[in-house]
Amino acid sequence: MKFTLKDYQEEAVGKVLMNLKKASRRWREDGDKHAFSLTATTGAGKTVMAAAVFEALFHGDDNYDIDPDPGAVVIWFSDDPSLNEQSRYRLLQAADRLSLSDLVVVQNTFQREALKPGKIYFLNTQKLSKSSLLVRGRELDEDADANAPPLPMPDSRSWTIWDTIQNTIDDPALTLYLVLDEAHRGMRAATGVGEKTTIVKRLINGSGSVPGIPVVWGISATVERFNAAMADMRGRATLPNVIVDSAKVQASGLLKDTIVLDVPKEAGQFDTVLVRRGTDKLKEISAAWAAYGAQQSDAAVVLPLMVLQVPNAPDHNDIGKALDAIFAHWPDLPEDAVAHVFGEHSTQAFGRHSVPYISPERVQDSSWVRVLIAKDAISTGWDCPRAEVMVSFRPARDRTHIAQLLGRMVRTPLARRIPGNERLNSVDCLLPFFDEASVKDVAKALMSGGDGGEELPGRRVLINPVELKPNPGIPEGVWDKLLALPSQTLPKRHARPVKRLTSLAHELANDGLLADAGKRAHAEMHKILNGIRARYAAEIEAARKSVMTVEGKSLKADLKGGGMAFDDFVEEADYAVIEDAYRRAGRMISPDLATTYSVYLAQNEGDMGDMETALMGAHVSIAALGLVPQARETLEAEAEKLSNQWLNRFRVEIKNLSDERQDIYRQIREVSASPMEVDLARPSSWMQATTIREASGAEIPLPTFENHLLCDEYGLFPEDFNSWEGEVVRAELGRTDTVAWYRNPSRASQDSLGIIYDDGGEIKILRPDFIFFIQQSDGTFTADIVDPHGIQFGDAIPKLKGLALYAERFGGHYRRIDAVAKIGERFRVIDLKEASTRAAVLAATSIRALYEGSNALDYLV
């Protein structure tokens, strides 16, 4: 793969491959057909995951413990040729073991007796419609008139596409996999008597003499309709669906955290006003990206664009007026910076403007496009991370189209979160024909990515917010204290410490921080492996014998007397058996380390006069290591230890690198089997709501507070606290020594302090609500964590225990670590800086008993 997969992507790929492996085996052995789906929210990188799956399916992958399937053939199917083309481009972009010749677009001229293994064939609904040249000569409709002959096959064709599919399925050397892209489309249930089944269902169920495709894999953000259709399929079992946790997707930095919706405060025609406002936003975000690029020497240039979304039957003169307003408000915008993606693939006249067509998949890389005119045709499968502003002329009843299109605009342009800068982590949508009541439906849809799935934890949809900047009245020492506070990240379930060490070494060498880091890392691991061989010599010797021999039983049957006897036999292992054992061990210690260690052993312990025999002996030794469980545990612990030592050793140098490079090290740091400490990022821009709307429709301004680290132009911070959270903030700000405070973000951003806790065996992360900063008598600053702690939630005790363990380890960074709860009408506080209180918390089984007992004190507000 050309890309490093995110943790959730790697996990999903492994599960998909497991399903494909099972389905393939059951098809070949018993003729059973199977189906399953991959569900992931828009922007999760489903095509990138598919690319990793196909590479492993065709070529094998030691990381997933999968061998290549020499008979694998894939049909990639969607209902849109342009969507297919975009998917094909992305697969090629992501995979380094898939070539252009492996990705075959099925055209009308296509003909083969059977599909070739190792290929992905792109088909769409139109190519299988009754009028297509590919199907002429074969009638598949179950309710077709038996007396009506099929359309004649073209003279130059020997097989229809259905013949080709049937021949591929019938070939015992091949396994045909059907991938349904955007699987929820084309799966509509029949609504009337005699209604023809969809083409997709023909592929799945089969029709006439053509059997259903053996293995079906549906990919979509919402697969309920696909799953329902699978339940009605004939003779097909289902495998466990692969569901990607939306919280992990949002936390990954691939998706923007904030969607800003601008709507008029009053009724009226504000389309031109909001077009001008949209133009201002485009200019502002363009300048912000330019400034960020200037700060980061290696940051890619991001040239944002604005989408003008129009109705399906637009008035071209109205669009022309909107373009006039844009150019009048931004005279420096080139006249040829506008394009459209209408179904009419031709230049269109909008007032005085002549605007060319561009295919949706080309927009992202066509940097000359700064204004894109669209209807709703790009809502499915379209992807353009640099689309950062949208002005929609669609009426309120079209909120679904708006939400779907906006859901396609939330990918981060650099595939990572910009640390501390919420302005660059947001997307703007202006809705001239909406009021705040109707826009709530859009906001609700966008919380699930516009796909109707689960809400995305960490995503915010704000209506008419204000941008907050660093408070100029806050002393620099407060900022220094914030950035010195230890934050934690979640451990990774599938962490591979040796692979992590190798990746770290590569990056350290790449940045010139540690010369020959890769050689040094492997040299250290060779020493560890030598020590393991000495420590577990007896176990390894027994394992070595098992590698060198193949044991079995032979049956002797006495045909005359009718007796039978089993005799044991032992044969010396041949090259293939040894190499298979070596390869399996390589998966355990990492293929790269297995290669370098085998060379090391051959050179230091083998006969240098016969290098081939020396390497064979080394492979046997490594294969034996792979059979000793303690070897892996010891090796991984030492690899983890060395990685952490290097990360700490070069921490300051890494902080001096660009954001892009720091993000790579952050990801390596987080790929750990143990919770890791990470540095906080300094926030530079937040987006914050300023009002709440009551059921009556009245707008109520949010309470505002002074001395927050970020503030509006008046030095104020607006926040919608629940009633007693606000009381806690007011009480803390009323203390004479409090000089500043920080509303710790609840989202998984780099400017949010995280603390791990164990919730029934699952490691999770809590983000304490408030940090207050105090100036000490010597002029330095310290910090207090004050966390209003609701006792009504099921995870209240696990969170409190996590906070206690954090206080035990990092309490020296704070003056106070307090957990406050409201019990009836009283406020009570647990002081986690006290060792006896921490012990009581860690032993507690009742949250209420803790706060009502002697380990809690009255909290004065």
Side-chain angles (χ1 to χ4, degrees), residues 770-798:
F770 306 118
I771 304 171
F772 294 91
F773 296 90
I774 296 89
Q775 187 164 20
Q776 303 179 106
S777 58
D778 61 358
T780 60
F781 297 92
T782 187
D784 293 343
I785 286 180
V786 181
D787 189 33
H789 203 80
I791 67 169
Q792 70 273 28
F793 301 110
D795 60 356
I797 283 187

Side-chain angles (χ1 to χ4, degrees), residues 547 573-586 612 615-620 623:
V547 171
D574 61 14
Y575 174 82
V577 171
I578 293 171
E579 286 304 292
D580 181 66
Y582 165 73
R583 189 161 56 87
R584 279 187 273 113
E612 184 176 343
L615 278 172
M616 178 66 73
H619 285 191
V620 172

Side-chain angles (χ1 to χ4, degrees), residues 529 532-533 539-549 573-590 593-595 597-598 601 614-629 631-632:
L529 288 169
I532 291 170
R533 290 171 64 212
E539 293 89 337
I540 291 172
E541 181 57 31
R544 185 183 182 90
K545 289 179 180 177
S546 72
V547 171
M548 292 297 294
T549 57
D574 61 14
Y575 174 82
V577 171
I578 293 171
E579 286 304 292
D580 181 66
Y582 165 73
R583 189 161 56 87
R584 279 187 273 113
R587 291 171 180 167
M588 182 271 286
I589 69 172
S590 99
L593 181 57
T595 300
Y597 192 52
S598 62
L601 290 177
L615 278 172
M616 178 66 73
H619 285 191
V620 172
S621 296
I622 293 171
L625 271 171
L627 296 175
V628 178
R632 178 173 187 166

